[in-house]
Amino acid sequence: MALHNYSFNSKEPTALQIFPPGAITNPQGKPLHSWQTLILPYLDQQALYQQIDFSKPWHARANQKPFLKEVPEYLNPKTEARHSSDGYALSHYVGNELLLKQKAGMPFNEIRDGMSNTILAVEIGEHFKPWGDPTSLTTPEKVIGPNRKSPSTGGTNVLLADGAVRFIPEDIDPEILKALSTPAGGEEIGEY
């Protein structure tokens, strides 16, 4: 819901509702903040959001305090790790970099495969990053499937662009997973 609320509160006209960018960067292209930072106000975390200096990287000394705070919505109750070795609060979820692109949000109307057929974010079972880290993005095939660690037994929970949460079995056909990962690939998606 926070991702959709971000869109509906953006400065874009209603016809151009967009998801947040996967990361925002400085003018030189250096990543500064993650998509998870951008949606804080829509998770009832406005006070935390207002503590962040968006002109500086998330891990800059001036930004250290807010990024040490856990955000409950970014934590999976099945996972014990809560902080990185340097104290930053972690997220147990990553965004789909095919949809949450760096520097620019994807307009809803560019998700031509359908919002209910496109993965937006994925739970992960290892290699957690702090929620402020702008590199907390991946392609779903790198974290879903056989021999991929998941906090869920037999598969992985994903957030679809329409806001639904679905369970993806670890033995999903790789072509179906690829189709669910792309926002405008035009692939047919069967049962999974």
Side-chain angles (χ1 to χ4, degrees):
M1 292 305 298
L3 288 154
H4 279 265
N5 287 337
Y6 170 93
S7 174
F8 293 121
N9 287 296
S10 74
K11 295 175 176 60
E12 298 292 332
T14 303
L16 294 176
Q17 293 303 305
I18 60 171
F19 283 116
I24 57 172
T25 62
N26 68 13
Q28 294 75 37
K30 182 178 178 181
L32 297 175
H33 295 279
S34 75
W35 60 279
Q36 291 175 313
T37 303
L38 297 174
I39 64 171
L40 286 172
Y42 311 104
L43 294 171
D44 293 328
Q45 296 286 345
Q46 182 68 30
L48 183 61
Y49 181 83
Q50 289 177 332
Q51 294 175 37
I52 298 168
D53 182 345
F54 284 89
S55 70
K56 296 179 178 155
W58 71 276
H59 53 31
R61 186 177 201 89
N63 278 329
Q64 186 176 18
K65 185 179 176 185
F67 290 101
L68 299 175
K69 183 174 179 356
E70 291 180 12
V71 177
E73 292 82 358
Y74 298 153
L75 298 172
N76 187 326
K78 299 176 197 172
T79 304
E80 291 183 25
R82 295 288 193 262
H83 289 88
S84 67
S85 60
D86 48 4
Y88 290 109
L90 297 174
S91 174
H92 302 146
Y93 304 92
V94 293
N96 177 0
E97 68 186 3
L98 302 174
L99 183 77
L100 297 172
K101 297 186 178 283
Q102 198 172 46
K103 296 194 281 188
M106 180 168 280
F108 286 12
N109 64 1
E110 289 185 18
I111 304 172
R112 292 186 291 278
D113 289 348
M115 303 274 266
S116 63
N117 293 323
T118 306
I119 295 172
L120 184 58
V122 180
E123 71 176 349
I124 55 174
E126 60 187 351
H127 307 299
F128 307 111
K129 294 184 179 183
W131 57 261
D133 189 333
T135 66
S136 64
L137 300 164
T138 192
T139 54
E141 65 191 18
K142 291 180 182 173
V143 293
I144 298 173
N147 304 316
R148 305 283 198 257
K149 188 171 181 181
S150 173
S152 300
T153 303
T156 303
N157 287 298
V158 300
L159 173 66
L160 298 173
D162 68 354
V165 174
R166 295 280 307 263
F167 183 78
I168 304 288
E170 63 186 14
D171 62 352
I172 187 170
D173 180 321
E175 290 304 311
I176 293 175
L177 179 57
K178 180 181 176 186
L180 287 167
S181 302
T182 59
E187 308 96 339
E188 287 292 319
I189 298 176
E191 289 296 316
Y192 57 93

